[in-house]
Amino acid sequence: MSSILPRSVTSPKKFFIGSQLLSSVGKYVKDFGDNAFIISDEFFLEKVTKEAIPSLKENSIVSQVEKFNYECTEAEVNRLGKIAVENKANVIIGIGGGKTLDVSKAVAYYQHIPVILFPTIASTDAPCTALSVLYKENGEFDKYLFLPQNPDVVIADTAIIASAPQRFFSAGVGDALATYFEARACYQADGLNLVNQRPSRTGLGLAQLCFEMLSENIDKAMDAIRHKITTPALEQTIEATIYLSGVGAEAGGLAAAHAVNNGMSAVESLHHVQHGEKVVFGLLTQLVLENAPQEEIDEVIRIIKAAELPLTLEDMGMKEFIESEWRTVAKIACAEGDTMGNMPMRVTEEDVYNAMVAANALAHRYK
C-alpha cells in the first residue's frame, strides 16, 4: 500500500535561532495575530512578564499569560482552550519544555489559530513536529494527537537553552543522533514517515546534515553548555537537535532506534531515563541489526561519549538484566504499526532481543 503514497516534506513555516530572542518575540508574532494567549512553564513566568510582554506591546499585540499545569492532558488542553476563547485570542504562544509546547500545539489546533513555540530546553525535536503527546492524569501515556500542520513559528533562543541543565541538552543530542540512521533505513525500506507518507530524499538529506553537524560541533558545543555560554558551535548543534532532527525525522521516518525506545518503557528501573538517552541505546541496537561498518559505530560512540550520554544499560541505572523483561521490550518494539517495520530487512522479536544484548556488550567495550 505504501508504494502508492506520495513522498513528503513537512516543516514549520518559520524557524529562527539566535541569542536574546525572547525580548524581541513581538516581531515574530505580529504577522500571525494581535491578541496572544501565552502558555508558559512556571519557571519562565517572570521572564515572560519582563521580556516578552513589553515586546508584544511594542508591536501592538495584547496578551494574556497562563501557567501550564505540568501535564499535557485532555483536561488541561480543554482548560487552556476555554481561557483562550474567553480572551478572544487569535494566536497561541507556547514557552517552555516539551509538554508545554505540546499542549500549546493542541490548544491552537482545537481553536483553529496559529501557534508560535519558544522551547526553553533542547531535549527533543518535538517543537518542529505536527504532533502532540497526550497523557492521562496519573502521568501515563494516553494517545498521540496527530495535527494537520506543523507549528507556524519555532524560535530557539540559544542563551536560554544554554542556561538549562546540561542533561536536557545531551538528551537532545541523543535523540538527534539517531535521525539519519533511522531515515536511511526507512528510505531503503520505502517505509512510512511520521505523517504516514513515503520518505523523501529531501528528508533523508536533512537527516544526514543533522548527523554531520553533530559530528562537526559536539565537542565545542559541550564546552559552551558546561559554561552556560553561546557559541557558533552550540548554535549549529541546537539547529541540528531541534530543526534538522524534527524535520528530518518527520519527512525521513523512524526505524529500530525509536521502536526500542518505546519498548524500554516496560523496564521500570529505566522510567527516570530521558527519551534521548533511551533512543541512543535503540540506535546501538539498530546498528547491530544492520551490522553497520566499524567506522560508523566508532563515530556514533564518539559523539555519545562527547555528549556525556549514558552508554550502557548500567549507565542508565539498570541494576539487573532480567531476560523476561527485555524479551518484553523486544515484543513491544516489534508490535504491529511501530517503526521497527521501517527496517529494510525483516526483524523478529528474537533478532531484537539478541541485538539489544549485543549492543550492551558493544557499549561495554568502549567504556
Side-chain angles (χ1 to χ4, degrees):
M1 179 167 178
S2 65
S3 60
I4 63 172
L5 292 170
R7 302 191 185 278
S8 70
V9 181
T10 49
S11 170
K13 290 187 180 73
K14 297 181 179 183
F15 175 78
F16 299 98
I17 182 167
S19 185
Q20 312 298 336
L21 299 183
L22 186 61
S23 57
S24 58
V25 69
K27 69 180 183 181
Y28 305 105
V29 177
K30 65 181 181 182
D31 293 334
F32 294 91
D34 60 5
N35 188 343
F37 180 52
I38 304 171
I39 302 169
S40 173
D41 277 1
E42 181 179 11
F43 307 111
F44 272 82
L45 289 172
E46 188 177 345
K47 264 187 174 294
V48 168
T49 302
K50 287 183 177 178
E51 297 181 32
I53 291 177
S55 175
L56 294 171
K57 285 180 180 175
E58 286 170 15
N59 287 274
S60 304
I61 301 165
V62 298
S63 60
Q64 167 74 25
V65 185
E66 183 67 24
K67 178 174 74 74
F68 170 57
N69 281 342
Y70 311 113
E71 198 60 82
C72 183
T73 62
E74 204 160 343
E76 180 68 353
V77 172
N78 292 337
R79 181 184 78 85
L80 293 168
K82 185 179 177 184
I83 300 171
V85 169
E86 288 169 356
N87 285 275
K88 298 183 172 55
N90 57 20
V91 60
I92 301 291
I93 304 173
I95 301 175
K99 290 184 177 182
T100 305
L101 305 186
D102 273 3
V103 86
S104 301
K105 284 189 275 186
V107 171
Y109 163 66
Y110 286 121
Q111 301 308 319
H112 307 289
I113 56 179
V115 61
I116 291 153
L117 300 181
F118 199 102
T120 55
I121 56 175
S123 60
T124 72
D125 53 26
C128 290
T129 61
L131 173 73
S132 288
V133 183
L134 298 181
Y135 294 85
K136 298 175 184 175
E137 296 293 336
N138 63 1
E140 289 179 10
F141 170 78
D142 183 9
K143 61 186 175 183
Y144 291 118
L145 176 64
F146 292 97
L147 307 170
Q149 63 182 24
N150 301 71
D152 295 274
V153 184
V154 176
I155 305 167
D157 189 318
T158 54
I160 286 176
I161 290 170
S163 69
Q166 179 187 314
R167 187 183 177 194
F168 293 130
F169 178 81
S170 296
V173 171
D175 195 25
L177 184 56
T179 305
Y180 167 58
F181 299 98
E182 293 191 279
R184 181 178 70 180
C186 189
Y187 191 82
Q188 289 171 354
D190 203 23
L192 294 175
N193 62 21
L194 288 183
V195 292
N196 287 320
Q197 306 296 329
R198 293 161 70 207
S200 62
R201 180 69 185 273
T202 298
L204 179 60
L206 291 172
Q208 185 169 3
L209 179 59
C210 177
F211 177 64
E212 290 170 0
M213 285 171 67
L214 291 177
S215 184
E216 291 166 12
N217 292 291
I218 186 59
D219 294 299
K220 292 175 285 186
M222 290 302 294
D223 290 340
I225 281 292
R226 289 185 195 105
H227 293 89
K228 301 193 180 299
I229 57 170
T230 60
T231 63
L234 178 70
E235 183 177 288
Q236 287 196 27
T237 304
I238 293 171
E239 188 175 329
T241 59
I242 290 181
Y243 183 79
L244 289 172
S245 179
V247 177
E250 198 163 75
L254 303 177
H258 271 78
V260 170
N261 160 78
N262 293 343
M264 287 170 73
S265 65
V267 183
E268 191 173 342
S269 63
L270 301 181
H271 282 182
H272 66 285
V273 178
Q274 290 277 321
H275 169 79
E277 294 171 343
K278 290 188 286 189
V279 168
V280 160
F281 183 74
L283 172 57
L284 294 181
T285 303
Q286 178 172 325
L287 294 175
V288 170
L289 286 168
E290 294 173 330
N291 198 20
Q294 187 62 47
E295 59 270 20
E296 202 166 81
I297 294 172
D298 287 343
E299 181 58 12
V300 166
I301 296 283
R302 184 190 74 81
I303 295 170
I304 292 169
K305 293 177 82 168
E308 298 182 5
L309 284 157
L311 192 56
T312 67
L313 293 174
E314 290 75 11
D315 289 341
M316 290 184 208
M318 186 190 75
K319 292 183 170 51
E320 180 187 5
F321 185 93
I322 302 170
E323 180 177 338
S324 60
E325 202 168 44
W326 287 91
R327 288 198 178 277
T328 300
V329 172
K331 183 177 182 178
I332 294 170
C334 292
E336 187 176 351
D338 210 323
T339 56
M340 191 66 74
N342 285 333
M343 291 294 284
M345 76 290 282
R346 182 175 175 272
V347 177
T348 66
E349 291 177 25
E350 185 72 14
D351 293 332
V352 174
Y353 173 78
N354 291 340
M356 291 189 297
V357 173
N360 202 40
L362 179 154
H364 273 285
R365 278 197 283 115
Y366 283 87
K367 291 289 285 179

